[in-house]
Amino acid sequence: MPLKSKDISFFFNPRSIAIIGASPKPEKLSYTILENLNKVGFPGNIYPVNPKYPSINNLRCYNSLAEIDGDIDVAVIVVPATRVLDSLKDAGKKVKGAIIVSGGFKEMGDEGKRLEEGIKGVVEKDGLRVMGPNCLGIYDTTSRVDTFFLRRERIARPLRGDISLVSQSGSFASTIMDELSSEGIGVARVINYGNRVDIGESDCLEFLADDEATKVVALYIESIDDGRRFVEVASRCAKKKPVISIKVGKKESGAYAARSHTGAIAGKYEIYRAAFKKAGIIEVYGYEGFIDACRTLSVYSLVKGRRVLVITDGGGIGVSIVDVCEDYGLEVTGIKEDTKRRLTSKLPPFCTIGNPIDLTGSVTDEDYITALEGAVMDGFDIAILAILWGPPKLTEGLVDKLKRVMSQSHIPIILCSPGGEFTRKMNQIFERNGIPVFSAPEDAAMAAAILTGQRI
């Protein structure tokens, strides 16, 4: 009996992909997968497999995998659940791995469980690796692979970046992917492994730990298959790069929903929380927290300390930010006396020099830069700038000036800028220039807390 290889890297740099169940009909999932592989510019060979058709989209369509010359790296299986097992058996030693898109397995009850057990038997017998069933598979900007059956005009694809998403849920993976794309945040790889008949979160983490294209790993977890292995692999990964995670199915009703979704047994949340802490994973709470973590870590690396500097042009919002920072255990400590004297000599007399530094409604672009440059010398780890766009002397020129400070001081700068249409327009300019902006003090403080590596 062949030994199952631990290596799954071929899924992320395949030279050839076969689509079993390929169809020329636009309403079929397999048609969209074929179309998406072409649109993403997959550089390898694509082999449609379906005995009903001689060709699809100007590609020869094969009756079976046996007709294809040479071995195949990845087979994408898109046939009814009852035919998946036969397709997998046909793959045999000819295919290194399979992505089973088809649903209708253990998430559907006893008959589905029986079919899934058959898949496990083939995996053990032939040694091939399997992702799924009931999954989307892989969207990969590095090797230009897209096995998602979702049309691009409905679910946008992010450009290339350095975040890799690993999700048990296909709907979560696609929604996050769409939202990151709309915010201009790039990804390296998006992996949806579904029912986890073989490949799961630990296999993905083991690959991503050594993946040079991935600088940040973001996990959506419904359940963990092998807790001991997960902690071991996640610990190794977290020592090399930030690993963030959201855990769903914390309550009994959520756990039941997870079982009906991917057949996952969610288990007690306290166990997961302890495992995340032991592995060094940054746990975030809720969808917005997950998005905020991706937005922040796509720009900045983790910091070593917890000292936060707050600079504002409105006293009330500055105090709000300080309150929330302290709720997260961040240190909004005072400024040294010699720094205060230096800033007092450079800033207008109406400014309040403390932490926060309040530049008031008479603020200029240069006042923000003076305050920031003068105070970061005190050894702060993170700066939160609250910018209210009412003051008439604030301009778009603040963007380039902040970018200059960022390049020289290497301190993460987070903006908090609530407001209406004009404010949102200005915020978009900052975000396009790689400076993360948050509308609420709570979100800005959360972003700062994420950079310290603590649980949110």
Side-chain angles (χ1 to χ4, degrees), residues 49-187:
V49 178
N50 193 329
K52 294 181 180 179
Y53 308 104
S55 66
I56 297 176
N57 290 5
N58 298 318
L59 291 173
R60 176 186 171 185
C61 191
Y62 294 83
N63 291 322
S64 66
L65 289 172
E67 282 192 356
I68 302 171
D69 292 333
D71 292 336
I72 298 161
D73 287 328
V74 177
V76 181
I77 300 177
V78 202
V79 298
T82 53
R83 290 170 47 201
V84 166
L85 191 55
D86 287 338
S87 297
L88 208 57
K89 288 176 179 177
D90 288 343
K93 297 182 178 64
K94 193 174 184 65
V95 173
K96 290 183 180 178
I99 296 172
I100 303 175
V101 173
S102 314
F105 292 88
K106 68 181 178 183
E107 76 277 8
M108 299 302 292
D110 290 340
E111 177 59 21
K113 288 180 183 177
R114 186 187 66 78
L115 293 172
E116 204 160 298
E117 287 302 317
I119 294 174
K120 289 180 181 178
V122 174
V123 169
E124 292 171 1
K125 177 177 178 292
D126 293 334
L128 79 165
R129 303 306 308 266
V130 171
M131 195 172 291
N134 185 28
C135 77
L136 295 171
I138 296 167
Y139 170 68
D140 193 316
T141 63
T142 304
S143 56
R144 289 177 286 167
V145 172
D146 186 354
T147 69
F148 283 34
F149 57 75
L150 307 166
R151 294 191 176 279
R152 287 167 167 253
E153 61 268 24
R154 297 197 176 190
I155 301 295
R157 302 316 198 250
L159 297 175
R160 186 166 180 171
D162 54 19
I163 298 176
S164 285
L165 305 174
V166 180
S167 174
Q168 196 162 2
S169 163
S171 60
F172 187 89
S174 59
T175 303
I176 289 289
M177 190 169 71
D178 193 31
E179 184 139 3
L180 294 182
S181 176
S182 72
E183 295 197 14
I185 300 171
V187 300

Side-chain angles (χ1 to χ4, degrees), residues 249-259 266-269:
K250 296 178 183 179
K251 309 295 184 183
E252 181 54 37
S253 56
Y256 177 81
R259 285 195 294 273
K268 288 189 176 294
Y269 168 61

